[in-house]
């Protein structure tokens, strides 16, 4: 039996996860719901701090019958309580997100599902390719409730595992994914106590990765690199200044908090640590939220988390094959040495007002996406009284950030338009 939320939770209700209004319940109650969800799935959760002495992260591994589940590992960032809750829910997200729900897959013609006005990189490839059957899932527009089938290749890399080839064929999916698979990654997956919680965090993640992609376009693909907007540390609120200081002390290098907010108007930050010459800048942290304070906090705590895990944990899986070395400009994007080329412009940190509830956050995010010509589509993977895991897709937002993993990808229509705007702005200036 799981303990009740009043007797068994170890988190504090004042943790970082509740301050920005993005969560429906406090950390105590989230911890209790997460443990109940683990029990209902027939799993056990093993959590530990990393490193043990002064943790910058917590790691959770899910087990079934005493054996670890293949993908049920998650890491949490933030202060102690928030990190444990985050690790638990991320492990649940990874566990459920990696199990392809084959019984819910629909097969549709590629050209039918690829019709899209946004110029999404993957959908454009499918529209230009053969009109063959491919696996899809039924998504719902979070703004108006309309329905649409979207290809699994958008956000479920595990669907393309060689071990599922026979299952895909049995479904009638005969599509050749060789051109599109390089753009496939697990973006927009999120877990929460409620579906609204999860949707907020999924949209924030998509916005964050879009912002990262456009920043790479600005710095490495524009004819003249756009100025890098780096926050002056002395303008940070006390709690963020303390986080920034701790990050510098841990990594023993400069930490640049880069403002990468885009035209969507959702504050987004990249905590960047310069790497050695020719080495990719992999120790980084990023965050997006309607609360600028929360977005910056998320970037800095993720940097601390990634540094802690990279320093004290064995590499969980082989690195993705590097495919950019023969392409000079794309390889510079892979290395992501943001502070190398171009000007650096120091800016003051500016906090923003944010809604007080998850529904308020979701409504505001959807409104900003809609005004920019984008819609968010959600597919509920698993929803109970204790846990919601869902995937959100926002066609048209950029996934060029995959280049930092060594994938040979190009920006979509949005990235190209952003590059053209950078060119025009520099010419006009």
């Amino acid at each position: 039996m799981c303990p009740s939320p009043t007797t068994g939770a170890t988190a504090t209700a004042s943790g970082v996860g509740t301050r920005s209004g993005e969560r429906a319940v406090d950390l105590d109650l989230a911890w209790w719901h997460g443990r109940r969800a683990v029990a209902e799935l027939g799993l056990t959760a093993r959590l530990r701090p990393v490193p043990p002495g002064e943790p910058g992260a917590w790691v959770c591994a899910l087990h079934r019958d005493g054996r670890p589940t293949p993908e049920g590992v998650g890491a949490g960032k933030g202060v102690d309580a928030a990190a444990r809750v985050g690790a638990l829910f991320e492990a649940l997200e990874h566990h459920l997100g990696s199990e392809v729900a084959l019984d819910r897959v629909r097969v549709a013609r590629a050209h039918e599902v690829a019709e899209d006005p946004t110029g999404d990189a993957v959908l454009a490839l499918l529209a230009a390719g053969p009109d063959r059957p491919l696996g899809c899932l039924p998504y719902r527009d979070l703004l108006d409730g309309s329905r649409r089938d979207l290809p699994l290749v958008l956000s479920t890399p595990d669907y393309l595992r060689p071990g599922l080839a026979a299952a895909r064929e049995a479904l009638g999916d005969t599509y050749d994914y060789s051109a599109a698979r390089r753009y496939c990654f697990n973006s927009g997956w999120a877990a929460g106590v409620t579906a609204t919680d999860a949707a907020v965090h999924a949209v924030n993640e998509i916005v964050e990765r879009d912002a990262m992609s456009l920043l790479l376009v600005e710095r490495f693909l524009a004819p003249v690199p756009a100025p890098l907007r780096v926050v002056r540390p002395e303008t940070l609120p006390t709690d963020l200044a303390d986080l920034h200081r701790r990050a510098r002390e841990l990594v023993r290098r400069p930490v640049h908090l880069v403002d990468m907010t885009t035209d969507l108007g959702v504050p987004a930050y990249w905590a960047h640590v310069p790497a050695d010459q020719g080495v990719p800048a992999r120790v980084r942290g990023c965050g997006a939220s309607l609360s600028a304070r929360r977005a910056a906090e998320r970037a800095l705590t993720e940097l601390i988390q990634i540094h802690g895990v990279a320093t004290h944990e064995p590499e969980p899986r082989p690195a993705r094959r590097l495919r950019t070395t023969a392409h000079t400009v794309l390889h510079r994007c892979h290395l992501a040495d943001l502070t190398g080329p171009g000007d650096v412009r120091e800016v003051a940190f500016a906090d923003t007002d944010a809604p007080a509830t998850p529904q308020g956050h979701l409504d505001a995010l959807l409104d900003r996406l809609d005004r920019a010509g984008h819609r968010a589509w959600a597919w509920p993977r698993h929803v109970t009284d204790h846990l919601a895991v869902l995937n959100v897709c926002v066609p048209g937002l950029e996934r060029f950030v995959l280049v930092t993993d060594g994938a040979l990808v190009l920006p979509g229509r949005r990235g190209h338009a952003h590059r053209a705007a950078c060119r025009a702005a520099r010419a006009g200036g």
Side-chain angles (χ1 to χ4, degrees), residues 25 29 32-34 36-37 40 192-194 382-388:
V25 301
L29 199 50
W32 180 76
H33 280 292
R36 289 296 299 267
E40 287 183 347
V193 173
T194 70
H382 178 92
V383 180
T384 69
D385 290 339
H386 303 293
L387 174 68

Side-chain angles (χ1 to χ4, degrees), residues 1-39:
M1 291 289 292
C2 288
S4 72
T6 57
T7 62
T10 57
T12 59
S14 60
V16 294
T18 61
R19 287 207 301 263
S20 65
E22 293 176 344
R23 294 294 192 193
V25 301
D26 63 30
L27 290 172
D28 282 335
L29 199 50
W31 175 257
W32 180 76
H33 280 292
R35 297 302 295 256
R36 289 296 299 267
V38 168

Side-chain angles (χ1 to χ4, degrees), residues 39-398:
E40 287 183 347
L41 289 165
L43 305 169
T44 57
R46 300 181 185 178
L47 291 107
R48 54 192 170 81
V50 178
E54 188 182 359
W58 277 71
V59 172
C60 176
L62 298 177
H63 289 68
R64 188 186 301 279
D65 300 326
R67 307 182 70 173
T69 60
E71 301 291 339
V73 178
K77 54 184 177 284
V79 297
D80 202 36
R84 280 179 300 192
V85 173
L88 180 64
F89 276 85
E90 185 174 271
L92 288 165
E93 171 201 321
H94 290 170
H95 169 67
L96 290 164
S98 67
E99 289 188 341
V100 182
L102 294 172
D103 59 327
R104 296 164 70 179
V105 174
R106 304 178 181 183
V107 174
R109 307 291 296 191
H111 291 182
E112 175 188 346
V113 298
E115 290 184 11
D116 189 83
T118 66
D120 181 86
V122 179
L123 295 179
L125 279 173
L126 298 179
D131 189 21
R132 298 188 63 82
L134 47 68
C136 301
L137 288 170
Y139 282 73
R140 178 177 59 87
D141 188 327
L142 287 173
L143 200 58
D144 66 15
S146 59
R147 304 282 176 169
R148 175 185 185 181
D149 286 345
L150 285 172
L152 272 77
V153 71
L154 285 173
S155 54
T156 309
D158 288 298
Y159 179 65
L160 302 183
R161 290 197 311 258
L164 289 182
R168 292 195 299 271
E169 185 176 352
L171 289 168
D173 182 346
T174 59
Y175 199 83
D176 179 3
Y177 289 100
S178 54
R181 70 183 308 144
R182 72 185 68 176
Y183 291 90
C184 180
F185 72 137
N186 59 344
S187 186
W189 284 95
V193 173
T194 70
T196 303
D197 285 359
V200 168
H201 285 266
V203 174
N204 279 338
E205 179 180 81
I206 294 169
V207 169
E208 167 197 313
R209 291 176 173 179
D210 173 76
M212 294 172 73
S213 299
L214 295 183
L215 181 58
L216 293 171
V217 170
E218 283 184 354
R219 294 299 280 178
F220 303 110
L221 299 187
V224 178
L228 193 72
R229 295 168 291 168
V230 177
V231 176
R232 297 197 303 274
E234 64 272 17
T235 67
L236 291 170
T238 302
D239 56 339
L240 292 182
D242 289 344
L243 266 179
H244 188 265
R245 188 179 308 109
R246 186 183 179 205
R248 290 200 315 269
E249 291 170 351
L250 286 172
V251 303
R252 298 181 181 180
R253 286 177 181 255
V255 174
H256 304 283
L257 185 61
V258 178
D259 184 345
M260 58 176 183
T261 306
T262 72
D263 56 306
L264 296 178
V266 180
Y269 293 89
W270 182 325
H272 171 69
V273 177
D276 294 333
Q277 181 72 28
V279 177
R282 300 292 293 165
V283 177
R284 66 184 184 223
C286 297
S289 171
L290 291 171
S291 163
R293 196 167 186 147
R294 178 60 178 139
E297 178 182 71
R298 188 170 283 149
L300 290 167
T301 54
E302 183 172 271
L303 171 63
I304 292 170
Q305 170 199 314
I306 288 175
H307 170 76
V309 172
T311 304
H312 300 280
E313 292 285 287
E315 183 65 33
R317 66 182 67 191
R320 193 165 182 165
R321 182 180 174 186
L322 185 60
R323 298 180 181 273
T324 57
T325 50
H327 306 271
T328 303
V329 175
L330 290 180
H331 194 61
R332 286 166 53 205
C333 293
H334 164 67
L335 297 175
D337 181 14
L338 299 179
T339 53
D343 299 333
V344 173
R345 179 179 300 164
E346 293 189 340
V347 298
F349 177 79
D351 203 358
T352 55
D353 293 329
T357 65
Q359 190 62 56
H361 272 263
L362 184 58
D363 291 343
L365 288 167
L366 297 178
D367 178 66
R368 294 187 191 202
L369 289 173
D370 185 49
R371 282 188 278 130
H374 300 280
R375 290 296 186 101
W377 301 82
W379 175 67
R381 170 66 179 88
H382 178 92
V383 180
T384 69
D385 290 339
H386 303 293
L387 174 68
V389 174
L390 51 84
N391 179 248
V392 174
C393 289
V394 183
L397 292 196
E398 276 295 335

